[in-house]
Amino acid sequence: MAAYADRAGLRAFVFVPAGKVAAGKLSQSIEYGATVVEIEGNFDDAMRIVRQVAAETDVYLLNSINPFRLEGQKAIAIELLEQFEWEPPSWIALPGGNLGNCSAFGKALREMFDLGFISRMPRLAVIQAEGAAPFYNLFSSPNRSTLEPVPHPATLATAIRIGNPVSWKKALRAIEWTDGVVERVSEQEIADAKAIIGRDGIGCEPASAAALAGVKRLVETGTIEPEESVVVVLTGNLLKDPDYTVGYHAGRLRVGDEADTREVLGRFANRPIRAAADVEVLKRLLSERS
Amino acid sequence: MAAYADRAGLRAFVFVPAGKVAAGKLSQSIEYGATVVEIEGNFDDAMRIVRQVAAETDVYLLNSINPFRLEGQKAIAIELLEQFEWEPPSWIALPGGNLGNCSAFGKALREMFDLGFISRMPRLAVIQAEGAAPFYNLFSSPNRSTLEPVPHPATLATAIRIGNPVSWKKALRAIEWTDGVVERVSEQEIADAKAIIGRDGIGCEPASAAALAGVKRLVETGTIEPEESVVVVLTGNLLKDPDYTVGYHAGRLRVGDEADTREVLGRFANRPIRAAADVEVLKRLLSERS
């Protein structure tokens, strides 16, 4: 948004919850010329303030509450189906925060089905972090009538640290259209899944890893069957949140000279290449530096 | 390297000067499964230790001193020429640190010329930071016989914070083959150029911005003529070093409620979109957090 606004000669404001946005994302908004405004409070506080101010002024709101934004996000699902030659996978798994992606995917799949591009709907699996799981709670409630906000959402996956998702109604409709499910995963499961995605040479931000962690859980509980095909959408690059990775590993191996270096090489040469992250260590390190 | 090694089942070691590598790069190496070893000292100390240890052990060194690495880097220049339909630009500008890119570009251009793909050589412009400019000093010396290392290289552009570049002989040959030049730029010029590249919706790491800053200086001094065409190679993505950008802007605008937010919107709505970074502020903030 910042980059395109600047190209068009428009002023861009980016409102973020103070101290709760990953460094990579912040650096891009700033670098592309946006005026970045930090709002005291969490994502939901920022969302509330921005909605109110946008309603009173001539600021155009481009958060995913804006339906045109969802129209754009639909392209992810449509291109995915195209790459599958319109033979959809059994499941598509997404991380769930503000629920814009879930809403956009639901709309795209429904439209592709109604237009005859696909002959069956893939099932959506939306995965939330345990500490920020209002949509999971709604999905698990008997009548699914009203989303109960989580007042203090807590997860190291900053992109889904959201307690009061604006798109929950559209997202719930998407789940119903696609016979979808909502799952939640722990911080440890997110960190472990992130390590696996990294070891595969791809890498992603923590929120994206939640989707893979959720798939693992859904396979274990029998919701996803062994023969079914699953696409996991990684919504953010590893480089958006380097601190999550570096924080955990900070100061792990340090050498001063050739002798030290030879010793380290010898010591590690035959070890298993890498253990998954210990999320308690990660939490402590990240809280120390923030 | 880390990603490919892991895919091949090989153990990767990444040696870095402790505390002197941008967070994004560090996070990728770690995430892809490499064993990251921090060496006390600067890049040149690390280079010396690693060369010695590699000579004594069965570790295969993949730094740009490895000629196969330069063969790979040649592809940047060859693809560039192909995109220009073999009608080369007047100049190609590159940042200069360990001088692997300069060496690889020189070899690629020479080979493309000798093979008849291009009928004239573009001129190379290699740009160094003032605080780490041994190659500039060599280029400016009367007989260009021996590179004098800079013992304490200093620049916020971590990718070119190198005082004793391993590839200086190959790079000097490349400069001679192409009738090239070497220029140096200040930290302020790097920061200003980085802001311009960001405002263009691209974004890069500081070392890459040095190349644009150098072009500006070469135009001002008349080395590059107004009608000449110039390609600037941006060697690293903005997201490799988010701290450089975020460090400068940290805590700039903070609001607590709707009234604050409206006030900020009003105050900034008609200002020029963004001033270039003040490098003194940047230095102070980065040193405070390191």
Side-chain angles (χ1 to χ4, degrees):
Chain A
M1 191 278 288
Y4 281 89
D6 196 49
R7 276 285 175 111
L10 298 168
R11 172 170 289 280
F13 288 95
V14 173
F15 294 91
V16 298
K20 295 194 174 65
V21 170
K25 299 180 187 187
L26 207 52
S27 75
Q28 281 185 312
S29 304
I30 293 170
E31 190 84 3
Y32 295 155
T35 301
V36 175
V37 184
E38 296 187 310
I39 295 183
E40 285 159 26
N42 60 27
F43 179 91
D44 304 303
D45 299 324
M47 189 74 236
R48 180 179 44 74
I49 289 173
V50 169
R51 284 179 74 169
Q52 187 173 326
V53 171
E56 295 167 4
T57 64
D58 61 352
V59 169
Y60 185 80
L61 187 55
L62 208 62
N63 177 278
S64 61
I65 200 168
N66 184 322
F68 291 117
R69 165 84 175 262
L70 298 187
E71 292 301 311
Q73 284 178 272
K74 273 168 39 185
I76 309 169
I78 296 169
E79 289 185 22
L80 185 161
L81 293 172
E82 187 189 25
Q83 286 167 23
F84 274 78
E85 296 177 344
W86 310 103
E87 198 56 61
S90 312
W91 290 88
I92 298 175
L94 300 166
N98 213 22
L99 300 173
N101 270 320
C102 175
S103 303
F105 270 67
K107 188 162 191 286
L109 295 174
R110 177 64 181 258
E111 289 173 0
M112 290 301 101
F113 181 81
D114 289 348
L115 291 167
F117 281 88
I118 54 175
S119 56
R120 64 176 171 77
M121 294 280 260
R123 300 176 71 184
L124 285 178
V126 171
I127 319 297
Q128 297 205 291
E130 279 179 356
F135 194 54
Y136 170 82
N137 295 338
L138 175 71
F139 176 79
S140 308
S141 68
N143 57 10
R144 298 181 185 171
S145 59
T146 306
L147 180 125
E148 197 69 47
V150 170
H152 302 290
T155 169
L156 295 173
T158 49
I160 54 174
R161 189 195 281 163
I162 295 171
N164 193 14
V166 292
S167 297
W168 71 267
K169 285 182 186 170
K170 291 173 186 161
L172 185 60
R173 200 169 53 183
I175 292 293
E176 289 167 352
W177 279 345
T178 63
D179 189 23
V181 299
V182 184
E183 185 52 274
R184 61 178 178 178
V185 292
S186 70
E187 295 296 297
Q188 184 67 57
E189 288 173 291
I190 293 172
D192 291 348
K194 184 168 183 302
I196 288 167
I197 294 164
R199 287 294 310 281
D200 209 41
I202 301 170
C204 66
E205 63 169 358
S208 306
L212 180 64
V215 168
K216 186 162 183 284
R217 203 181 256 213
L218 291 168
V219 169
E220 284 164 1
T221 57
T223 305
I224 298 179
E225 307 272 358
E227 73 281 1
E228 290 186 301
S229 57
V230 183
V231 169
V232 176
V233 180
L234 302 182
T235 47
N237 189 286
L238 162 62
L239 288 172
K240 297 289 180 89
D241 191 0
D243 293 339
Y244 185 97
T245 307
V246 175
Y248 173 63
H249 293 270
R252 210 171 161 201
L253 282 174
R254 188 176 282 225
V255 298
D257 58 16
E258 290 85 344
D260 281 359
T261 308
R262 273 190 297 270
E263 192 273 325
V264 162
L265 288 174
R267 184 147 49 91
F268 279 81
N270 295 311
R271 282 211 200 160
I273 290 183
R274 184 162 158 255
D278 178 331
V279 79
E280 290 308 317
V281 175
L282 190 56
K283 274 182 178 166
R284 182 173 51 74
L285 285 164
L286 289 176
S287 79
E288 277 169 15
R289 64 165 59 188
S290 73
Chain B
M1 190 280 286
Y4 281 90
D6 196 50
R7 276 286 174 111
L10 296 169
R11 170 170 290 281
F13 288 94
V14 173
F15 294 91
V16 298
K20 296 195 174 63
V21 170
K25 298 180 188 187
L26 207 53
S27 76
Q28 282 186 310
S29 304
I30 294 169
E31 190 84 2
Y32 295 154
T35 301
V36 175
V37 184
E38 295 186 308
I39 294 182
E40 286 159 25
N42 61 26
F43 179 91
D44 304 301
D45 299 324
M47 189 74 237
R48 181 178 44 74
I49 289 173
V50 169
R51 284 179 75 169
Q52 186 173 329
V53 171
E56 296 166 4
T57 64
D58 61 353
V59 168
Y60 185 80
L61 187 55
L62 208 63
N63 177 277
S64 61
I65 198 168
N66 183 323
F68 291 118
R69 167 81 177 264
L70 298 187
E71 292 301 311
Q73 285 178 270
K74 272 168 38 186
I76 309 169
I78 296 170
E79 288 184 23
L80 185 162
L81 293 173
E82 186 190 26
Q83 287 167 21
F84 274 78
E85 296 178 342
W86 310 104
E87 200 55 62
S90 312
W91 291 89
I92 299 175
L94 300 166
N98 213 23
L99 300 174
N101 270 320
C102 175
S103 304
F105 269 67
K107 189 163 192 287
L109 295 174
R110 178 63 181 259
E111 289 173 359
M112 290 301 100
F113 181 80
D114 288 348
L115 291 166
F117 281 88
I118 54 175
S119 56
R120 63 176 172 77
M121 295 281 260
R123 300 177 70 182
L124 286 179
V126 171
I127 319 298
Q128 298 205 291
E130 279 179 355
F135 193 53
Y136 170 82
N137 295 338
L138 174 71
F139 176 79
S140 308
S141 68
N143 58 8
R144 297 181 188 172
S145 58
T146 306
L147 180 126
E148 199 68 48
V150 170
H152 302 290
T155 168
L156 295 172
T158 50
I160 55 174
R161 190 194 281 162
I162 296 172
N164 192 14
V166 293
S167 298
W168 70 266
K169 286 183 187 171
K170 291 175 185 161
L172 185 60
R173 199 169 53 183
I175 292 293
E176 288 167 354
W177 279 345
T178 63
D179 189 23
V181 300
V182 185
E183 186 51 275
R184 60 179 178 177
V185 291
S186 70
E187 295 296 298
Q188 184 67 56
E189 288 173 291
I190 294 173
D192 292 347
K194 186 169 182 300
I196 288 167
I197 294 165
R199 287 294 309 282
D200 209 41
I202 300 171
C204 66
E205 63 169 359
S208 306
L212 180 64
V215 168
K216 185 161 182 285
R217 204 181 256 214
L218 290 168
V219 169
E220 283 163 2
T221 57
T223 305
I224 297 179
E225 306 273 358
E227 74 280 3
E228 290 185 302
S229 58
V230 182
V231 170
V232 176
V233 180
L234 303 183
T235 48
N237 189 286
L238 163 62
L239 288 172
K240 296 289 179 89
D241 191 1
D243 293 340
Y244 185 97
T245 306
V246 175
Y248 172 63
H249 293 271
R252 208 170 164 204
L253 281 173
R254 186 176 284 223
V255 299
D257 58 18
E258 289 84 346
D260 281 359
T261 308
R262 273 189 296 270
E263 192 273 324
V264 162
L265 287 175
R267 184 147 48 94
F268 279 81
N270 294 313
R271 280 210 202 161
I273 291 185
R274 184 161 158 256
D278 178 332
V279 79
E280 290 307 318
V281 175
L282 190 56
K283 274 182 177 166
R284 182 172 52 72
L285 285 163
L286 289 176
S287 79
E288 276 168 17
R289 64 164 58 188
S290 72

